[in-house]
Amino acid sequence: MFVVTKVNALFGRRILLMSSILSAVFLAACTPSSDPPESKDTGDTVDAEAVYSEAALKIPNPQVTPGGTVEGAITITLDPGWHTYGDPPGDSGMPPSVAFKLPQGWKSEVMPLPPTKEFPDAVGVSYGYENQLKISFRLTAPPDAKVGTTTDVSIDLQWLVCKEMCLPMSETLTSKITISQNETKETPNE
Amino acid sequence: MNKLMLVIAIALTTMMAYAGAETGKAAPGFKLTDLDGKEHSLADFKGKVVVLEWTNYGCPFVKKHYKSGNMQMLQKKYTDKGVIWLTICSSAKGKQGYFSLDDWKKESAKAKSSGTAILPDPTGVAGKAYGATATPHMFVIDAKGILVYQGAIDSNSSFDPKTIDGATNYVAEAVDAVLAGKEVKTKETKAYGCSVKY
């Protein structure tokens, strides 16, 4: 059993407990590749099977001392013409949802999103990002983390991309962090 | 100068969009034709509780409620209780979510849509009268023709179907209250979803 800290930017933080199996099933259910034909039927020029946006996880210095913090970022890249949403998203859309799956005792914090651009349409204005969105976060290891071990970091990311029509995106991003004895020398401002 | 004009234009558009229907007042009338060519006017349903559901089958937030079966469950549950449930699509011809009548028949059968009628609104006249901005955008009208709820279908604005459980369904709350002769608790919320493709 993992502790899933769901950081839903729109509705604040909430903590959900669920088995990893359950979330895997749900994730499978909402992966965009599972429902391309319906999107295609809408008479739009967008090819729902193509990928217009990708997400990557980077933890530049994946080491942490017990009780220490480590920083990382999720980068969402978007094809020209597509945009994703900020928080709040405005008159339509949804901000990215970032749910960390971490072992007991770990804490996660998502930094405020960068300033948004306005996307006006027939019904109002949305706020969001073109080209790229970087979501920075900080993880705190429990004080009793065992030196020499590695921890799996898993993030369930959901984001909405739109260009006339909208496509739901969902991906699980993973990385590893090593628990080290010493403060990491590579981080100058620690 | 151009920028100022744009800001004014945006402000006006936003105001117009929200100028739509006023909660607590008579719901705007409309006349739309269903997939079988039958005309429906809001006035025909006086004496019945009416739910208006703005839809767009290509929208991930609409899919959230249809693929999970949540929307059809609500449609069936309330039409069984005598509620009129009208599913309206204001996508203009050529815009995303627009279907020909034949395609509407196919797609709505596939979606197992279970409301009273599906009403394409390609001119957007009904959508604009109500100020429908999103899909799904929901309206509840009581038996006297008064608009008693407008806004989101529920309290969780994610496109993820797993968020349906645990969310408060404002439409169900409003319809239950009206059917029980009680006051609707939450009368207005901000609709979430894709923008209506007028």
Side-chain angles (χ1 to χ4, degrees):
Chain A
M1 181 76 102
F2 289 107
V3 176
V4 180
T5 310
K6 187 176 163 74
V7 184
N8 183 322
L10 194 63
F11 286 98
R13 286 132 293 275
R14 69 189 73 168
I15 292 168
L16 303 167
L17 280 173
M18 69 176 71
S19 76
S20 52
I21 296 166
L22 205 59
S23 59
V25 169
F26 281 134
L27 265 172
C30 57
T31 322
S33 56
S34 67
D35 55 12
E38 282 78 359
S39 302
K40 230 179 176 176
D41 287 350
T42 56
D44 204 272
T45 49
V46 168
D47 176 2
E49 274 177 77
V51 176
Y52 300 99
S53 179
E54 284 176 352
L57 168 63
K58 218 168 199 177
I59 300 174
N61 185 16
Q63 301 180 52
V64 66
T65 55
T69 60
V70 58
E71 286 172 10
I74 298 159
T75 304
I76 295 172
T77 50
L78 299 135
D79 280 6
W82 289 82
H83 65 269
T84 190
Y85 292 88
D87 178 21
D91 291 323
S92 62
M94 181 188 101
S97 160
V98 184
F100 287 91
K101 264 190 273 177
L102 296 162
Q104 284 287 356
W106 282 75
K107 286 189 194 124
S108 63
E109 187 190 355
V110 177
M111 304 299 141
L113 297 180
T116 53
K117 193 189 148 172
E118 290 188 358
F119 295 92
D121 66 14
V123 300
V125 188
S126 298
Y127 305 101
Y129 310 94
E130 287 176 313
N131 306 318
Q132 187 179 296
L133 166 63
K134 194 172 164 190
I135 305 169
S136 300
F137 62 84
R138 187 186 293 149
L139 303 177
T140 307
D144 59 356
K146 226 172 137 203
V147 171
T149 60
T150 58
T151 294
D152 290 317
V153 176
S154 176
I155 301 173
D156 289 344
L157 177 71
Q158 292 181 334
W159 72 107
L160 185 73
V161 296
C162 297
K163 180 194 181 184
E164 288 161 30
M165 77 172 298
C166 300
L167 297 173
M169 303 296 293
S170 174
E171 207 164 307
T172 301
L173 306 164
T174 57
S175 189
K176 282 180 195 298
I177 294 173
T178 306
I179 313 298
S180 66
Q181 182 70 69
N182 304 314
E183 292 286 334
T184 46
K185 291 165 193 86
E186 293 91 324
T187 323
N189 52 356
E190 264 299 307
Chain B
M1 194 62 190
N2 275 345
K3 212 168 185 179
L4 181 68
M5 296 290 279
L6 182 69
V7 169
I8 292 169
I10 290 166
L12 280 175
T13 321
T14 312
M15 277 159 62
M16 273 156 60
Y18 286 106
E22 213 176 315
T23 314
K25 298 260 169 78
F30 58 83
K31 209 177 267 183
L32 293 170
T33 308
D34 72 14
L35 306 184
D36 300 316
K38 193 181 167 209
E39 207 170 72
H40 296 271
S41 157
L42 184 63
D44 299 344
F45 302 119
K46 208 130 199 202
K48 295 204 169 182
V49 175
V50 179
V51 174
L52 305 181
E53 168 210 347
W54 257 266
T55 199
N56 178 337
Y57 281 0
C59 168
F61 299 88
V62 171
K63 287 184 183 182
K64 164 192 175 185
H65 292 284
Y66 273 95
K67 293 213 160 183
S68 59
N70 187 46
M71 192 68 86
Q72 301 91 323
M73 182 275 291
L74 292 166
Q75 290 166 342
K76 174 134 192 10
K77 179 180 171 184
Y78 290 113
T79 51
D80 282 354
K81 292 185 180 186
V83 171
I84 301 296
W85 187 297
L86 304 174
T87 302
I88 303 174
C89 178
S90 297
S91 287
K93 195 171 180 179
K95 293 282 181 74
Q96 188 273 326
Y98 173 86
F99 291 132
S100 67
L101 280 184
D102 280 348
D103 283 346
W104 257 121
K105 285 178 192 166
K106 270 183 248 162
E107 294 299 328
S108 59
K110 210 159 75 181
K112 296 190 170 69
S113 184
S114 308
T116 309
I118 293 174
L119 307 173
D121 174 39
T123 63
V125 63
K128 282 167 190 161
Y130 279 81
T133 56
T135 53
H137 197 159
M138 310 295 296
F139 297 82
V140 179
I141 301 160
D142 73 8
K144 291 182 200 127
I146 305 295
L147 183 66
V148 291
Y149 175 75
Q150 60 176 321
I153 180 167
D154 66 17
S155 60
N156 197 313
S157 64
S158 168
F159 59 65
D160 187 343
K162 79 178 177 212
T163 62
I164 292 173
D165 281 343
T168 302
N169 193 295
Y170 299 124
V171 176
E173 269 194 355
V175 177
D176 286 341
V178 169
L179 290 176
K182 290 186 186 146
E183 171 122 11
V184 175
K185 212 170 67 186
T186 308
K187 297 181 174 73
E188 259 178 51
T189 59
K190 184 181 178 296
Y192 69 83
C194 309
S195 57
V196 175
K197 314 299 181 196
Y198 288 114

